Amino acid sequence: EAQVTQNPRYLITVTGKKLTVTCSQNMNHEYMSWYRQDPGLGLRQIYYSMNVEVTDKGDVPEGYKVSRKEKRNFPLILESPSPNQTSLYFCASSLGWTSSSYEQYFGPGTRLTVT
Amino acid sequence: GQNIDQPTEMTATEGAIVQINCTYQTSGFNGLFWYQQHAGEAPTFLSYNVLDGLEEKGRFSSFLSRSKGYSYLLLKELQMKDSASYLCAVRDETGANNLFFGTGTRLTVIP
């Protein structure tokens, strides 16, 4: 089944404790992206990647890191989480990034709480 | 900068038609997407418009006017399962597939 998977789905952690949220897709997609979703703010892009070893900042990259060592995986790293990073996180992927109708496929989400 | 506006909430009756509007002011434009998101779930793709006009797909249609910075999503023959949030997203023209989302419209379908 074609899908985007994220782990963990739920995480409660404490301020400053490094964590990684994994994202994997099995559709051979070139483009991958991370979003956070907060009430009243909608989905905001954190980082994106157009291909292996190519990553760039989105709208809200502060406090996050990413890597794209393999095409299928795009982990999100929080080196020192803070309470303002409590949010619902979505990973997404799409076939490409040109002007075609490359809809993004979203993972199931990771609900992160930082205390 | 990017500014995308949608109504926060709407209510409609089962079997009826509802139109969800989206207006945008963005520094660039390379297509507009509509996504559906049920509570606690991932957004799923509904439609894509890059040229002016109406795109129809079953019970759902989407319209775009680039000169007015305006789009709408039309849902016909509403069903209870259509209760969800509907997200309008504009793709910029940087060459990457980056989307800027509105805050979404929560639609409640009542019997």
Side-chain angles (χ1 to χ4, degrees), chain A residues 48-93:
Chain A
Y48 67 96
S49 169
M50 293 168 68
N51 213 327
V52 174
E53 302 293 358
V54 180
T55 64
D56 209 345
K57 297 176 181 178
D59 285 339
V60 289
E62 294 77 20
Y64 304 95
K65 287 174 56 178
V66 293
S67 68
R68 188 91 181 273
K69 293 184 169 57
E70 308 163 279
K71 197 173 191 178
R72 64 183 294 128
N73 295 323
F74 190 45
L76 179 70
I77 304 155
L78 285 72
E79 294 271 2
S80 183
S82 62
N84 65 12
Q85 293 178 298
T86 292
S87 188
L88 178 59
Y89 290 86
F90 287 102
C91 180
S93 71

Side-chain angles (χ1 to χ4, degrees), chain A residues 17-73:
Chain A
K17 186 176 181 181
K18 181 180 178 179
L19 67 92
T20 299
V21 183
T22 64
C23 173
S24 184
Q25 50 91 7
N26 62 1
M27 296 171 279
N28 201 36
H29 282 175
E30 299 282 352
Y31 177 95
M32 298 185 74
S33 181
W34 275 103
Y35 297 89
R36 60 178 290 174
Q37 187 173 37
D38 302 291
L41 295 176
L43 280 158
R44 293 178 294 166
Q45 189 178 50
I46 303 170
Y47 268 94
Y48 67 96
S49 169
M50 293 168 68
N51 213 327
V52 174
E53 302 293 358
V54 180
T55 64
D56 209 345
K57 297 176 181 178
D59 285 339
V60 289
E62 294 77 20
Y64 304 95
K65 287 174 56 178
V66 293
S67 68
R68 188 91 181 273
K69 293 184 169 57
E70 308 163 279
K71 197 173 191 178
R72 64 183 294 128
N73 295 323

Side-chain angles (χ1 to χ4, degrees), chain A residues 31 37 94 97 100 102 104 107, chain B residues 35 37 42 48 91 95 97-98:
Chain A
Y31 177 95
Q37 187 173 37
S94 68
W97 63 87
S100 300
Y102 286 134
Q104 295 189 17
Chain B
Y35 282 81
Q37 185 179 25
Y48 168 76
R91 182 166 61 191
N97 195 17
N98 294 337

